[in-house]
Amino acid sequence: MKDLLNVQDYLFAVQDVGDWEGDEEHVAETLNDLIHIAWDRLPDEAECEFIDETINGIWEHLRGDMAVIEADFEELVDWVIHYVDSSLDEKM
């Protein structure tokens, strides 16, 4: 079902992330990179609603969390991989 959606619909513009004390562009870029990583991990046959919940959940978990700025990118990647894999495990 993934072919019915487009990853571009989930990406953030700088103005979408809110106030990050001048780091809005960095936050938007980081979130978009994480969304692409999550997208690639989701199976093609995943239901649209599940994909939507999973991708939107990344922002729900990271919104306002300084880890988006302070953490090493690889740590964020590890977190996203774990988050997606856990979501898939719960669904299956």
Side-chain angles (χ1 to χ4, degrees):
M1 301 291 198
K2 195 160 99 173
D3 60 333
L4 298 175
L5 301 173
N6 187 334
V7 70
Q8 300 298 322
D9 294 334
Y10 295 99
L11 300 181
F12 286 85
V14 172
Q15 62 270 18
D16 296 333
V17 298
D19 182 20
W20 289 83
E21 299 177 9
D23 286 322
E24 294 82 6
E25 185 173 342
H26 173 72
V27 169
E29 288 176 8
T30 298
L31 286 169
N32 290 341
D33 288 343
L34 295 174
I35 287 168
H36 276 285
I37 291 165
W39 184 268
D40 290 342
R41 287 197 74 78
L42 291 166
D44 291 339
E45 64 276 359
E47 294 182 18
C48 294
E49 184 178 335
F50 174 76
I51 293 170
D52 193 58
E53 289 172 5
T54 303
I55 298 294
N56 287 326
I58 294 169
W59 177 238
E60 293 302 317
H61 281 87
L62 295 177
R63 179 189 334 206
D65 190 338
M66 292 305 289
V68 174
I69 297 170
E70 297 171 353
D72 181 60
F73 184 71
E74 290 305 316
E75 290 179 76
L76 294 171
V77 169
D78 289 344
W79 177 83
V80 165
I81 289 169
H82 176 73
Y83 172 74
V84 171
D85 289 351
S86 295
S87 296
L88 287 167
D89 287 345
E90 287 177 21
K91 175 142 177 62
M92 301 300 166

